[in-house]
Amino acid sequence: MPTAIEIFKHLPKKNCGECKNPTCLAFAMQLANNKAKLDDCPYLSDAGRNALASSSAPPIRLVRVGSGKNVVDMGDETELYRHDKRFFHPTALALRVNDMMSADELGKKLGHARSLRFERVGQVLKLDMIEAECRSGDATKFASFVQSVASMTDWPLVLRCKDASIMNAAVAVVKDRRPLLHGADESNVKEMAAVAKGASCPLVLCSADLGRLADLVEMARKEGVEDLVLDPMPATMKESLERCTVIRRSAIRKTFRGLGFPIYLSTPATQEGTLMALTAVMKYGSLLSFDELPSAQALPLMVLRQNIYTDPQVPIQVKADLYPVNNPGPDAPILFTTNFSLTYFTVLSDIEKSKVPVWLQVIDTEGLSVLTSYSAGKLTAEAVQKALLASNAKERTTKGVLIIPGMVARMSVKLNEATGLKIVVGPKESSGIPKFLRSMNG
Amino acid sequence: MAEVPVPKEKWTGSIGEMELGCTEAGGGSRATVTVGGNKGLPFLSFEDGPRRKIALAGSVSDSLEDVPQAIRAVFGEDVNDAVSWAKAWKAKGADMICLHLTSTNPEERNASTESAADTVAAVMKAVDLPLIVYGSGHEEKDAKVMEKVGERAKGERLLLGKAEEGGYKSVAAAGMANGHAVIGFSNLDINLAKQIVILLTDYGVGKKDVVIDPLMAALGMGLEYSYSVNERIRIAALAGDAMLQVPMICDCTPAWKAREVTDEVPNAGETAERAIWWEGTTALAALLSGADILVLGHPDAMTLARKAISGLGGED
Ligand code: B12
Ligand code: SF4
């Protein structure tokens, strides 16, 4: 939002009060604080409305690729640093296939793309898009290739081709999937923009020079395309970090509209390329496209994305409750842990490994790990007793045993007093749980 | 052509520059490294003129309780002896050695302070790189170990770890008496990071002799907390907070505690390769959020860190 003074310039200055503010200036101040709507003033001119509507647009445009349930949203970020609030739209990852591949190669690569799917701390980490590239230079061939990729997958698509007429033929087959078109540069921007406009698809603009990139934005908008994505074409990690930073900062700090769009990067299939991709997850990349994405590198990349895009105010948590694991009966012991997702899922998987039936009581520690919540005074004997009462745990089992994390062995006495249960100190690391539980059982 | 507004931040502060190690000319017997000195956020050449200098330290322990299997495997026999291990790191291109005197832990081997100092002396004799030295993490014993080690290495300008809010005086004293720098450790919190620097400097340690360790949490293990705490520390320092204008050390070896580094994970490739990227990714997050010294466990992760630094235009 612009400042109150900038807004005031566009208001009718009648001071009539119909907006429920005594003066136009007071109304401008409300608008600047997002406490009023433009429509509240019945006398605003069209010119004024347009000027204000566009200057109050978010500094980085939200661009949606795909259709129906299969969509990827990018952009609409408001921060330079995640600690200032949070980053909103996790960097999307795309794998590239091309129309010179055999059916067999294509099938294999799509299979690999599907296999890049992991569950971690209760969330699914996966690849987001497929990029279909034209290497044949043949419009019919590319269109039928795109058709077959589309029929084999649900993913939102990127179409990559420099020739507008070839692109046009391919877009025609998958128009309703709203693919992202890559891309326009100085040589073809008019023609590509016409294709994007005709099919209402978002368009990537490519230039290694940020000034020219802003020019391309201007040209594409003149042709009527607003959903734009920027490809600053870095060749090195340094260029990638610096260009992405300049784009993000000028959009957010200077409200520079010319670069207020999500960023696309194509990363080389080398170690440097993967390092570039990791850098872009931390520093402002919206969509990364890979020629190859080896499995052993995909997981660290996706976990980094999961970490960086976590809301700094809210750790990933699970519901505090009593969870039966491995079909426990009344003679199974109770174990407790915290509701921090990382802690809970680590412990859960080790208990499952043991195959020993137990009741797992999760304590609400506001999403903190065992030692962190203990140090912060949130994991107390009273909190454990309260949780056990709330979940009726002690009525579900007659065993009378509570197994506690080894890291908080020092809570034993207090826990025994508070809960009346026999306290058994478990191992410090949950990897020790299977052995520990099996030995307890006999 | 459209003019792009140059979004430079107007920083008023800079990170202090520090030399570690000491050459013969200065009365020591080893190479030096210079860290810090930055005037802008990491690797942005439009903000910070001179290139960035980062030191990569190879981790060595004098007993193997905490050493992951994969690291034992890559160094082979060399892990059984701190001297050979340090030599192996030098051959693999480390800028510094980070020596953990874990054998001194009274709850395990309880090696004497004398033998710990001997180990340090032997490593110093065999390898002429600047040295970071940690005890075993046992507060009372570490105080004695550091006193002895500090004395024995007088004039070599080691970096001694680690001074914590609860008991920083002995490490600080060992540093001050013998010309070493010290690591001020704090727990993932910008205010605590500042607090330990204040405590150390009030006690008499020069600001030019302090490196902060804000605790680097590994990928998947709270990395996001560290990334943001480090970044906030750097921004506050550049914006003028004098007590945070010291170099930062990030130990990336906790990456080896993540289960993805040791367990098979379906569809996630070879565990060995994934593990290298786990530590390498942790290192990259440390670099981009402001680290000046990285401690690394695996040589291939060091190679990744090295590639990242040169790819980002830092000196190597
Ligand atoms: C990330 C982190 C934070 C994050 C919070 C992350 C979170 N959501 O919990 C933040 C930055 C907020 C934080 C803050 C603090 N932290 Co902190 N933090 C860490 C760190 C780096 C990782 C914690 C973690 O995620 N561990 C991973 C999880 C999975 O571990 P876990 O919950 O313990 O679970 C394991 C075991 O306990 C066991 N287990 C779990 N449940 C069960 C159940 C049974 C039955 C069994 C048998 C086993 C078992 O299995 C799990 C896997 O092995 C650790 C250091 C470290 N490397 O461990 C310090 C650490 C836990 N923090 C510590 C401290 C002191 C604090 C603060 C008090 C300091 C401060 N800055 O004020 C604050 C308190 C927070 C507050 N005031 O609200 C200390 C605790 C000291 C101690 N020994 O008691 C630690 C150990 C760091 C240190 N070395 O000093 N912290
Ligand atoms: S309704 Fe419009 S013209 Fe009237 S006071 Fe409000 S802003 Fe001014």
Side-chain angles (χ1 to χ4, degrees):
Chain A
M1 228 339 148
T3 64
I5 298 298
E6 282 157 9
I7 297 170
F8 177 67
K9 287 185 201 146
H10 298 283
L11 297 179
K13 306 190 185 63
K14 287 163 73 101
N15 296 329
C16 66
E18 283 184 44
C19 56
K20 306 230 165 62
N21 288 286
T23 62
C24 296
L25 184 59
F27 180 58
M29 279 148 84
Q30 295 295 87
L31 276 177
N33 291 325
N34 281 324
K35 285 188 181 140
K37 301 187 303 293
L38 273 184
D39 291 341
D40 293 346
C41 169
Y43 304 108
L44 192 60
S45 69
D46 284 347
R49 179 181 309 274
N50 284 342
L52 285 171
S54 71
S55 68
S56 64
I60 297 176
R61 188 177 173 87
L62 176 74
V63 174
R64 169 168 287 192
V65 183
S67 61
K69 277 191 294 178
N70 301 312
V71 293
V72 168
D73 284 329
M74 11 189 214
D76 201 15
E77 299 292 341
T78 56
E79 310 304 325
L80 294 181
Y81 308 109
R82 64 185 287 285
H83 59 255
D84 285 334
K85 188 166 186 188
R86 66 171 298 185
F87 292 169
F88 293 94
H89 295 107
T91 314
L93 309 175
L95 193 64
R96 189 178 308 140
V97 293
N98 70 73
D99 65 353
M100 297 298 279
M101 293 171 101
S102 68
D104 191 41
E105 283 171 317
L106 175 63
K108 274 210 185 106
K109 200 151 186 184
L110 292 178
H112 172 61
R114 275 186 210 100
S115 78
L116 299 177
R117 189 176 198 284
F118 311 97
E119 262 192 52
R120 191 167 191 286
V121 299
Q123 299 186 334
V124 173
L125 311 179
K126 61 177 187 56
L127 199 81
D128 307 280
M129 301 171 106
I130 292 289
E131 177 168 302
E133 180 184 14
C134 176
R135 284 201 190 155
S136 65
D138 177 334
T140 325
K141 187 164 184 178
F142 186 50
S144 78
F145 174 73
V146 168
Q147 170 78 64
S148 64
V149 171
S151 69
M152 290 163 82
T153 75
D154 289 342
W155 275 300
L157 302 172
V158 186
L159 305 186
R160 188 182 181 98
C161 173
K162 282 275 173 261
D163 181 314
S165 64
I166 297 179
M167 182 68 99
N168 203 27
V171 172
V173 257
V174 288
K175 208 166 113 178
D176 54 332
R177 298 261 296 247
R178 203 173 135 82
L180 174 65
L181 312 185
H182 185 296
D185 58 20
E186 286 179 317
S187 70
N188 67 0
V189 62
K190 266 205 139 113
E191 297 79 3
M192 274 294 177
V195 174
K197 175 140 180 24
S200 327
C201 289
L203 176 65
V204 185
L205 306 171
C206 314
S207 174
D209 182 305
L210 300 186
R212 288 191 204 285
L213 205 46
D215 290 341
L216 289 173
V217 165
E218 212 35 60
M219 290 184 230
R221 295 179 68 178
K222 268 209 194 96
E223 302 298 318
V225 185
E226 294 285 342
D227 283 335
L228 299 168
V229 174
L230 310 175
D231 180 353
M233 302 175 69
T236 63
M237 288 176 74
K238 175 181 157 70
E239 288 176 356
S240 170
L241 173 69
E242 295 194 338
R243 287 178 197 167
C244 291
T245 303
V246 171
I247 291 173
R248 179 76 156 249
R249 274 198 197 168
S250 57
I252 284 177
R253 282 269 201 274
K254 314 266 178 190
T255 344
F256 178 60
R257 301 283 160 191
L259 295 175
F261 299 91
I263 300 174
Y264 168 106
L265 298 170
S266 166
T267 64
T270 56
Q271 286 196 336
E272 282 83 355
T274 304
L275 288 166
M276 190 195 277
L278 290 162
T279 302
V281 165
M282 293 181 266
K283 293 291 179 190
Y284 316 139
S286 297
L287 168 54
L288 309 178
S289 166
F290 298 85
D291 235 340
E292 303 290 339
L293 182 54
S295 311
Q297 298 172 21
L299 185 61
L301 182 70
M302 289 176 183
V303 173
L304 181 68
R305 172 177 68 172
Q306 182 183 39
N307 284 176
I308 293 293
Y309 280 84
T310 303
D311 184 344
Q313 309 301 322
V314 196
I316 311 176
Q317 304 177 27
V318 295
K319 194 167 165 265
D321 207 342
L322 185 71
Y323 294 86
V325 191
N326 303 329
N327 293 316
D331 55 346
I334 308 171
L335 275 73
F336 85 76
T337 191
T338 78
N339 74 333
F340 182 35
S341 252
L342 180 62
T343 302
Y344 168 78
F345 282 101
T346 309
V347 169
L348 178 69
S349 88
D350 285 317
I351 300 176
E352 283 170 350
K353 253 187 229 163
S354 78
K355 306 222 162 63
V356 177
V358 305
W359 296 97
L360 181 58
Q361 175 68 54
V362 172
I363 318 287
D364 181 359
T365 56
E366 296 167 29
L368 294 180
S369 76
V370 171
L371 273 187
T372 310
S373 61
Y374 178 76
S375 307
K378 288 182 175 134
L379 179 59
T380 58
E382 292 68 38
V384 174
Q385 166 67 357
K386 231 172 110 186
L388 292 172
L389 288 178
S391 67
N392 269 333
K394 284 186 254 183
E395 273 132 60
R396 309 278 260 286
T397 157
T398 51
K399 178 112 172 163
V401 167
L402 179 64
I403 301 173
I404 71 170
M407 304 260 200
V408 289
R410 55 203 137 165
M411 290 175 73
S412 299
V413 174
K414 283 204 172 142
L415 273 170
N416 171 260
E417 285 165 11
T419 64
L421 297 171
K422 181 175 171 229
I423 306 301
V424 176
V425 177
K428 283 189 175 163
E429 295 290 332
S430 82
S431 52
I433 286 179
K435 201 172 149 212
F436 171 84
L437 284 179
R438 282 188 216 123
S439 72
M440 255 190 88
N441 258 19
Chain B
M1 192 167 53
E3 196 157 330
V4 176
V6 182
K8 254 198 196 167
E9 304 272 10
K10 291 193 186 57
W11 302 118
T12 53
S14 63
I15 311 304
E17 202 168 68
M18 170 184 283
E19 198 174 76
L20 293 165
C22 186
T23 60
E24 265 158 45
S29 63
R30 57 208 51 260
T32 59
V33 290
T34 305
V35 295
N38 290 92
K39 297 183 172 63
L41 286 175
F43 305 107
L44 299 177
S45 64
F46 58 84
E47 205 167 275
D48 192 4
R51 299 219 297 168
R52 208 184 154 80
K53 178 79 194 159
I54 285 153
L56 303 183
S59 184
V60 168
S61 304
D62 69 349
S63 78
L64 296 179
E65 285 87 8
D66 293 335
V67 180
Q69 200 48 49
I71 285 173
R72 293 190 203 189
V74 69
F75 285 101
E77 286 292 299
D78 288 339
V79 294
N80 295 318
D81 168 40
V83 170
S84 323
W85 195 346
K87 278 187 180 160
W89 266 122
K90 181 168 179 182
K92 290 179 196 298
D95 304 315
M96 301 181 79
I97 300 297
C98 178
L99 176 59
H100 293 269
L101 299 167
T102 40
S103 70
T104 60
N105 189 347
E107 278 151 32
E108 291 179 20
R109 290 207 204 173
N110 201 14
S112 68
T113 57
E114 194 57 45
S115 89
D118 288 346
T119 305
V120 172
V123 169
M124 285 198 304
K125 186 148 181 257
V127 178
D128 65 351
L129 296 177
L131 199 61
I132 305 167
V133 181
Y134 281 94
S136 66
H138 187 280
E139 210 179 300
E140 283 156 43
K141 182 73 177 278
D142 281 359
K144 295 183 197 134
V145 171
M146 285 305 153
E147 191 186 329
K148 200 46 138 224
V149 168
E151 256 169 46
R152 187 73 76 83
K154 192 174 175 89
E156 297 284 2
R157 194 156 168 78
L158 309 185
L159 180 56
L160 300 180
K162 58 183 182 179
E164 290 190 62
E165 192 171 339
Y168 57 91
K169 290 185 179 158
S170 47
V171 177
M176 283 195 291
N178 305 293
H180 304 306
V182 298
I183 296 172
F185 173 84
S186 59
N187 206 315
L188 276 171
D189 183 306
I190 181 172
N191 298 312
L192 296 179
K194 184 170 169 171
Q195 176 70 8
I196 187 68
V197 180
I198 294 175
L199 288 172
L200 286 170
T201 48
D202 281 356
Y203 188 64
V205 182
K207 213 178 91 186
K208 294 189 90 150
D209 297 326
V210 179
V211 171
I212 45 171
D213 174 357
L215 198 165
M216 187 67 208
L219 179 63
M221 307 279 288
L223 175 138
E224 65 275 28
Y225 293 98
S226 294
Y227 180 81
S228 287
V229 168
N230 295 354
E231 203 166 49
R232 288 182 63 197
I233 288 174
R234 270 300 159 257
I235 289 170
L238 293 170
D241 191 331
M243 284 299 134
L244 291 169
Q245 292 167 349
V246 297
M248 185 189 291
I249 184 169
C250 290
D251 182 353
C252 305
T253 59
W256 292 90
K257 297 219 171 95
R259 66 180 37 201
E260 286 89 345
V261 160
T262 43
D263 293 9
E264 291 283 319
V265 181
N267 295 326
E270 292 281 331
T271 304
E273 194 196 345
R274 189 183 335 114
I276 304 306
W277 281 95
W278 216 265
E279 190 180 12
T281 300
T282 305
L284 182 63
L287 288 172
L288 286 175
S289 59
D292 299 284
I293 305 175
L294 297 184
V295 181
L296 296 156
H298 197 291
D300 293 350
M302 186 176 282
T303 304
L304 285 180
R306 184 83 67 202
K307 275 191 178 157
I309 293 165
S310 68
L312 288 164
E315 254 167 3
D316 55 21

